[in-house]
Amino acid sequence: MRKLYDRLLRSKYRNIYIMLFFILITSLIHLPYFVEPRRLLGTAGGDMTGQLYPFRYFLSNNLEKGNLFYSFQYGLGGDFFTELSYYYTTSPIFYISFFLSKFFRFALESYYTAINQVLLTSIFCKVLSMLFMYLLLDYETKKFCKTEREKERFTFYNLIGALVYGLSTIGIANYSTFDFFADSMVYLPLICLGLRKYDREGKPWLFVLSFGMMVMSNFYFAYMNCIYLAIFALFISIRYESLRSSLTDIARRSVLVLLGFGLGAAGFIPSIYAFFSADREKILVSSRFLLDGDQVIPMIKRFFTDPFLFGGIAIFVLGFAILAFRKRAVNRKVALALFWFSMIFSPWVLSLMNGLSCESFRWYYLIAFSIAYAVPSLLETIWEKKQISSELEKYFRLIRELLFAVVILYFAVFFWKVYGSSVQWAIDKITIIWIVWWMTWLGIIGIALIKRTKLQWRMVSLILLLSVNGIMINYIYIYRTSSFLLTEDDYIYQSTAFYNPDVFEDDSFYRVSNWLIEVGSKDNRARKENTEMILGNHGLTSYNSLIKKDLMHWFKYDHNVNTIYISPSHYRGLNNRLFLENIWGVKYKINTESQPYGNMQRENNGTIFYENEYPLGIDFWYDSYLAKDDYDAFGHAQRDAALMQAAVIERPVNLREAELDETIQNLGLDFSQITAHGCHFENGHIEVPYEEGEHIWDANKGELIIPLGERPSAGEFLVSFDLKTLEGYPKDEIYNFRLVVNDQITYRYSDTYNWTYLLDQYTYKLDGTTDEIRIELSPGKYVMSDLECCFSSYEKLGEWTDQLNKYNLNHLVVQDGYISGEIENAENGILGLNIPYCKGWTCRVDGEKKGLIAIDTVLTGIYLEEGNHHIQLSYFPPTLKLVIVISLCTIAILLVLAGEKRIRSKKTGDRG
């Protein structure tokens, strides 16, 4: 054993052996996913299956095709490179995982590939995070090692610190919620290593390169890491010999940071551009610096239950225990850990770390890093303490023996119950988990304090104990949170009702309205907006964090399209509003409860769908315009109908001003027509008393009924009203109320909930044969105002469609990021394209550049004079050319600096 021990520690391949050890530990952590291949990192119906798995699959397929920037299958069509930079498109780790997937021959045409990629990336990132942490600690402690004995000791210390960082459940927790956040755990120790190499050797290259990769990869955790690095530099890196030396250190490190930003500009600036172009609704956030007294105990309880704090708190207690040791290097590191740990008690800091938005826990990995960074110095300080009583030694030996007995017994029962009986048995034994958890860490402290004999045995025992503890805690989290796919395509089938886009057999450009995804049902509240994107189809839904602001405003305000959840970051179809669907080019409808007006029933291979009798393709023609100010003054029904008749534009063009047909009838509803059941209603004030229901969806409800007369022609009702809450549902902190209008469900989140959208206006489309409006509300007190109901006649639908199809593009070619065709128009007009207006498009008409105009507030238009024209449009991200130049210039500066330093060193050597 001793020979093997010496061979491993003193070999020139020592770091390789350590990396193999990290691979082994990481593989054991992920063992449940290998034993049960359909177990997901994440929860079905959450963000992993709603956003992250679909994006990985979608991006992998586009990389295979060589498409890097734009896709018509991404929502209503968009720049996925820029908008998904928040997730993957600028992340080096994502591209590494993609090529590793190809190397291991994961079938990229299968959605199951995305699941394999996440598992592969989780293993890869956890190994790298521990390895980089070890290398940082090894570099930090080299100067203390003067003998082989000290090198052995510090190797163990550094290994323990790396395990403390890597085995905390925050890594698995990130991969179960937002997997790309775990990338930050890889970059942080590497950047700090680069900073420390600059501090000691004046070598800036590792810091600049790793910092540039971090800011390029993801602006969100780059923001958090930058705050941390500033504090880290103040605690660890800056000299405080004099004011001048301190300011000089800050200035030099600031220059390195600027070079890092320049190097990563190609990824960082597009993502910042997308962030400031996106719809990020402000919510009510806390400005308190400290927690209220009654919040401290619940926060402390989180140490036992929050996966983002597992694995770090006990080591922090160890730091408290040895604060009395006076050593400058130790005190700085302990102070850094103390500082970041104390910040979790400040609501303002929780908000600051999330960009002064809602309070967030995603930065807790910084606490784990700070604690792990201090571990080697803390353990060495303990080692240097010479005297330990024999009674204390016996006490800790007893704890050690009991500890191993408890751990072995627990694991035996745990695995027997998991694989032989019931997973839930192990999950529910949280008290046993706590006991084992604290006994483990108490044993670690005890073993570290035992007298200095047989170093290798005590350190190996300590590492094994730490590894077993970390694996166990990760297993507990995995079995408590992860779910299963029943089949490889389970996610797709649930969201599409076994719908196959190939059934349409249509080569033209069209969009599909899928009721099951857009409207949902009482039993299907899962986030499925990105399903059409997975299928490679053109849908009407999207779910991501950086949807463009003007597009979201169009959905939520301009036309107030109802969705099941009032929240940012998504749109879910057009609520079956016929005029809106027509202008967006919807040709097929699936999974509807009844045959829609103006649609013919079709069947292919056993699949029933409906085809629009009045379709528009990707292009349409306007020969008149409507001023944006006039459009803004209309109600929602008038706006819907106006889009079918004229181009809504900001500035007049050389066209006639539109004269809109009178097809909208305002029914003039007032409160006197409302009958109330199960609630009190008076002058717009509604009170629904609470009677029953633990959840908002099973509580009693109040109902308002408004009668409607018969309509003489086919059409649709649009009913709109404002609804504000005086007192929300009393039993739920997340939901303010549940609103149901003629079986259409809407959940309104509370004003302080993280993902609420502060919108108080609601519009619902009702079939033209509806005889009454039924409004149901969960318990609470409300104020209703601006009640309006309009009837929109369909009598002009065919005429309007013929006019929009008056001139179309011939020889039309539509590819991702490219459109071309020819048009013969006998009059001036606007060629409309039902793709979102975006600055990245370059338009050429007859070979010459021509500016595009925004029409209908969000669509793309080209003003054309009378004649025959050849149209070409191509897309390139609007900021990418500039930022590539910035990154290349930064690389040039770094190369010049490196060359200059090399020449200077050579001259110095020659003189020597």
Side-chain angles (χ1 to χ4, degrees), residues 784-813:
M784 178 184 284
S785 60
D786 295 332
L787 176 64
E788 178 183 81
C789 183
C790 292
F791 178 78
S792 300
S793 173
Y794 293 157
E795 62 180 344
K796 294 282 188 177
L797 177 60
E799 181 181 326
W800 293 341
T801 304
D802 289 341
Q803 181 63 31
L804 290 168
N805 281 325
K806 188 174 183 180
Y807 303 110
N808 291 121
L809 288 170
N810 300 312
H811 307 110
L812 177 65
V813 176

Side-chain angles (χ1 to χ4, degrees), residues 575-590:
N575 198 218
N576 291 317
R577 285 156 69 169
L578 183 58
F579 299 146
L580 297 185
E581 289 184 344
N582 275 22
I583 207 67
W584 279 104
V586 173
K587 189 173 182 179
Y588 301 106
K589 295 175 74 71
I590 62 171

Side-chain angles (χ1 to χ4, degrees), residues 666-737:
N666 192 323
L667 302 187
L669 301 181
D670 59 53
F671 292 149
S672 64
Q673 298 172 271
I674 297 177
T675 303
H677 299 282
C679 63
H680 178 72
F681 178 81
E682 184 176 0
N683 295 326
H685 286 257
I686 309 167
E687 181 176 355
V688 184
Y690 173 76
E691 295 177 3
E692 60 183 356
E694 286 298 314
H695 301 286
I696 198 166
W697 47 82
D698 57 22
N700 62 289
K701 60 182 179 294
E703 186 176 45
L704 305 178
I705 299 177
I706 310 171
L708 296 172
E710 294 184 1
R711 299 298 102 203
S713 63
E716 64 186 42
F717 292 103
L718 279 188
V719 55
S720 301
F721 51 85
D722 284 3
L723 188 68
K724 296 184 179 180
T725 311
L726 301 178
E727 293 181 16
Y729 182 66
K731 301 285 286 184
D732 202 318
E733 296 180 359
I734 296 178
Y735 296 109
N736 211 327
F737 60 79

Side-chain angles (χ1 to χ4, degrees), residues 388-407:
I388 295 179
S389 67
S390 59
E391 290 79 8
L392 189 61
E393 182 179 335
K394 291 178 182 178
Y395 171 71
F396 281 119
R397 281 182 176 176
L398 177 62
I399 288 179
R400 183 181 61 182
E401 302 302 328
L402 290 174
L403 171 67
F404 277 108
V406 169
V407 168

Side-chain angles (χ1 to χ4, degrees), residues 110-128:
S110 167
Y111 177 73
Y112 200 52
T113 304
I115 300 171
N116 291 328
Q117 277 190 7
V118 173
L119 177 58
L120 188 65
T121 310
S122 179
I123 296 171
F124 178 69
C125 286
K126 188 167 281 292
V127 171
L128 285 186

